[in-house]
């Protein structure tokens, strides 16, 4: 019970620190010129927005872990490696560093993490332990650097990367907690709190961006935590758990690199081909697109939790498949609803500013008559309602 209260206090501390540190970091961003000014057609925001918000997340995480966690190799790795990436991100958010130089720094930091013990020595696949041997080091470096970039790649809409990092942290927290790793669970909980405290400033319309400062730090931290907290779990499906949790950013990054290489462009050349851009192009708003991707990430996290055997034992595979099938069906239904502008308003997923006149315009005369009978009043149909109804009928006939 004491440890539970201790953990809750730590998470609340991280939330409050991130929330209260964001305003001064925003002021600092304007002072040093770390501001994103949308001068190209790729960006979806329309006004200058500061972009070193990830510094608040890093400070919140570091201070809280210093106060509540015992020193460990994982934490030292995150403090030092994450700090280096935060510095890199701040410089990039001000001056714009060449993408290949950034990749080189990420690889160096990933190698340092591996040298400090953050290594995927083996994988547990179907109950069989596979020793990676010589490939352990390059695969570990690839995983850390790859996930670091994946979170950075998906950082394209207000609140998207931060929210996905928060959901992923919560998924990791649940998985390691179920396996009794309270140390890793506390760190994951603090990372979740740091993201959650920053989100109010980052959700659409965003008042500050994480920038590379936050995306690189979060990706790196999640990668380190997943190596020692999940990959090495003594569970039959432990190899699949981190892949499922981070499936969305990994798929988006892999598809982006493949798409750009196929077009004979640099894998780091910015474009509008990401999943979130495609949702925007389909007619969804920023808020709707982010909610859809949050839901997908949350479902994948839930599937990862069902993959663990500590909670569900022999029935885990059946329940995992069941939740995945149910989730896909619900997602398809909601996707079809959201594609239609009218049903999108009725769904409640977006802010509903429908007036009485708007609703009446959707009804035919018979429905208006029934509405009057049920509500005990007479509805005055706006002058343009009949023309709108006639236009809709003509459109249907066409």
């Amino acid at each position: 019970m004491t440890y539970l209260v201790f953990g809750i206090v730590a998470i609340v501390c991280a939330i409050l620190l991130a929330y209260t540190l964001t305003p001064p970091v925003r002021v600092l961003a304007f002072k040093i010129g770390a501001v994103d000014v949308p001068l190209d057609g790729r960006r979806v925001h329309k006004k200058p927005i500061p972009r070193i918000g990830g510094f608040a997340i890093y400070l919140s995480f570091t201070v809280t872990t210093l106060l509540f966690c015992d020193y460990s190799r994982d934490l030292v790795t995150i403090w030092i490696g994450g700090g280096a990436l935060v510095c890199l991100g701040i410089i990039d958010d001000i001056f714009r560093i060449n993408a290949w130089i950034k990749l080189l720094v990420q690889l160096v930091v990933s190698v340092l993490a591996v040298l400090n013990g953050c290594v995927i020595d083996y994988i547990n696949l179907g109950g069989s332990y596979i020793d990676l041997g010589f490939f352990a080091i390059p695969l570990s470096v690839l995983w850390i650097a790859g996930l670091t970039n994946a979170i950075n790649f998906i950082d394209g809409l207000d609140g998207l990367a931060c929210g996905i990092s928060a959901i992923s942290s919560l998924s990791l927290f649940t998985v390691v907690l179920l396996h009794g790793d309270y140390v890793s669970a506390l760190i994951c909980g603090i990372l979740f709190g740091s993201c959650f405290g920053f989100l109010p400033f980052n959700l659409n319309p965003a008042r500050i961006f994480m920038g590379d400062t936050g995306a690189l730090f979060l990706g790196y931290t999640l990668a380190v935590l997943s190596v020692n907290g999940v990959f090495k779990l003594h569970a039959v499906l432990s190899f699949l758990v981190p892949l499922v949790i981070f499936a969305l950013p990994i798929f988006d990054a892999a598809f982006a690199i493949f798409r750009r290489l196929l077009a004979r462009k640099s894998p780091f050349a910015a474009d509008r081909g990401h999943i979130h851009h495609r949702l925007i192009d389909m007619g969804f708003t920023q808020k709707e697109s982010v909610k859809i991707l949050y839901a997908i990430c949350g479902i994948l996290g839930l599937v990862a939790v069902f993959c663990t055997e500590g909670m569900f034992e022999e029935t885990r595979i059946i329940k995992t498949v069941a939740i995945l099938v149910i989730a896909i069906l619900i997602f398809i239904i909601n996707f079809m609803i959201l594609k239609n502008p009218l049903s999108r308003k009725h769904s409640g997923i977006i802010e509903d500013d429908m007036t009485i006149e708007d609703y009446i315009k959707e009804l035919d005369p018979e429905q208006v008559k029934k509405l009057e009978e049920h509500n005990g009043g007479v509805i005055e149909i706006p002058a343009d309602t009949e023309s709108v109804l006639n236009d809709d009928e003509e459109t249907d006939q066409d």
Side-chain angles (χ1 to χ4, degrees), residues 242-367:
L243 295 178
V244 173
I245 290 175
F246 303 115
L248 180 59
I250 289 174
F251 171 79
D252 183 62
F255 184 71
I257 292 172
F258 176 76
R259 180 181 65 249
R260 292 165 187 172
L261 291 176
L262 201 62
R264 297 183 179 179
K265 296 180 180 179
S266 167
F268 301 106
D271 59 20
R272 280 188 55 88
H274 290 283
I275 296 174
H276 48 273
H277 288 135
R278 292 176 182 273
L279 289 173
I280 295 286
D281 293 340
M282 289 175 65
F284 296 109
T285 65
Q286 277 204 59
K287 289 182 179 180
E288 293 161 4
S289 301
V290 169
K291 287 176 183 177
I292 290 171
L293 295 176
Y294 278 0
I296 293 173
C297 190
I299 289 167
L300 291 170
L302 186 60
V303 170
V305 171
F306 272 89
C307 283
T308 63
E309 48 188 30
M311 187 174 181
F312 303 104
E313 299 177 351
E314 292 83 3
T315 62
R316 65 184 180 279
I317 296 179
I318 298 174
K319 291 182 177 180
T320 299
V321 174
I323 193 67
L324 187 59
V325 171
I326 293 170
I328 291 173
L329 290 175
I330 294 174
F331 175 77
I332 291 173
I333 292 170
N334 278 286
F335 185 78
M336 297 305 295
I337 289 173
L338 290 172
K339 280 190 67 176
N340 184 290
L342 181 59
S343 60
R344 192 185 307 173
K345 287 183 179 180
H346 294 173
S347 69
I349 295 177
I350 64 173
E351 296 178 9
D352 187 5
D353 56 354
M354 179 182 288
T355 64
I356 295 176
E357 288 77 14
D358 291 334
Y359 179 61
I360 294 171
K361 288 179 181 180
E362 298 177 8
L363 307 178
D364 58 40
E366 188 64 30
Q367 290 175 316

Side-chain angles (χ1 to χ4, degrees), residues 28 32 34 51-59 62 77-98 101-102 105-106 109 148 210-218 220-221:
L28 175 64
I32 63 179
R51 57 184 175 195
I52 59 167
F55 189 41
I57 297 175
Y58 173 74
L59 290 175
T62 302
T77 299
I78 294 171
W79 290 337
I80 297 174
L85 290 175
V86 165
C87 292
L88 174 70
I90 292 175
I91 295 172
D92 182 59
D93 286 334
I94 300 173
F95 301 107
R96 285 301 176 199
I97 302 173
N98 181 278
I101 295 177
K102 288 196 293 182
V105 175
Q106 293 164 25
V109 173
T148 300
M210 289 198 311
D212 284 7
T213 308
L216 295 177
F217 168 70
L218 289 175
Y220 177 79
T221 304

Side-chain angles (χ1 to χ4, degrees), residues 22-60:
T22 301
V25 167
R26 193 174 189 275
V27 173
L28 175 64
F30 280 108
K31 291 286 186 183
I32 63 179
V35 179
D36 193 333
V37 182
L39 299 178
D40 57 24
R42 186 179 60 86
R43 291 172 172 81
V44 293
H45 61 284
K46 304 300 180 185
K47 60 182 181 179
I49 298 178
R51 57 184 175 195
I52 59 167
F55 189 41
I57 297 175
Y58 173 74
L59 290 175
S60 169

Side-chain angles (χ1 to χ4, degrees), residues 11-175:
I11 295 171
V12 171
C13 178
I15 293 173
L16 292 175
L17 278 174
Y19 186 79
T20 53
L21 284 170
T22 301
V25 167
R26 193 174 189 275
V27 173
L28 175 64
F30 280 108
K31 291 286 186 183
I32 63 179
V35 179
D36 193 333
V37 182
L39 299 178
D40 57 24
R42 186 179 60 86
R43 291 172 172 81
V44 293
H45 61 284
K46 304 300 180 185
K47 60 182 181 179
I49 298 178
R51 57 184 175 195
I52 59 167
F55 189 41
I57 297 175
Y58 173 74
L59 290 175
S60 169
F61 176 85
T62 302
V63 172
T64 308
T65 49
L66 280 169
L67 291 173
F68 289 90
C69 299
D70 295 328
Y71 294 165
S72 64
R73 291 180 107 186
D74 279 0
L75 272 179
V76 172
T77 299
I78 294 171
W79 290 337
I80 297 174
L85 290 175
V86 165
C87 292
L88 174 70
I90 292 175
I91 295 172
D92 182 59
D93 286 334
I94 300 173
F95 301 107
R96 285 301 176 199
I97 302 173
N98 181 278
W100 294 103
I101 295 177
K102 288 196 293 182
L103 178 61
L104 178 61
V105 175
Q106 293 164 25
L107 289 172
V108 170
V109 173
S110 300
V111 169
L112 290 176
V114 169
L115 293 177
N116 204 33
C118 187
V119 184
I120 308 172
D121 299 301
Y122 59 84
I123 57 174
N124 188 348
L125 190 59
S128 301
Y129 288 87
I130 303 174
D131 190 345
L132 296 177
F134 171 79
F135 296 101
I137 292 178
L139 283 176
S140 300
V141 171
L142 179 63
W143 173 257
I144 297 172
L147 190 55
T148 300
N149 271 290
I151 299 298
N152 196 25
F153 270 50
I154 207 169
D155 187 19
L157 295 179
D158 295 351
L160 180 56
C162 185
I164 284 179
S165 297
I167 295 170
S168 299
S169 302
L170 193 59
S171 300
L172 283 176
F173 168 83
T174 307
V175 170

Side-chain angles (χ1 to χ4, degrees), residues 356-357 359-382 385 389:
I356 295 176
E357 288 77 14
Y359 179 61
I360 294 171
K361 288 179 181 180
E362 298 177 8
L363 307 178
D364 58 40
E366 188 64 30
Q367 290 175 316
V368 172
K369 186 177 179 181
K370 288 182 179 179
L371 186 63
E372 290 175 339
E373 293 174 354
H374 286 300
N375 291 275
V378 178
I379 298 174
E380 294 184 6
I381 302 177
T385 301
L389 290 173

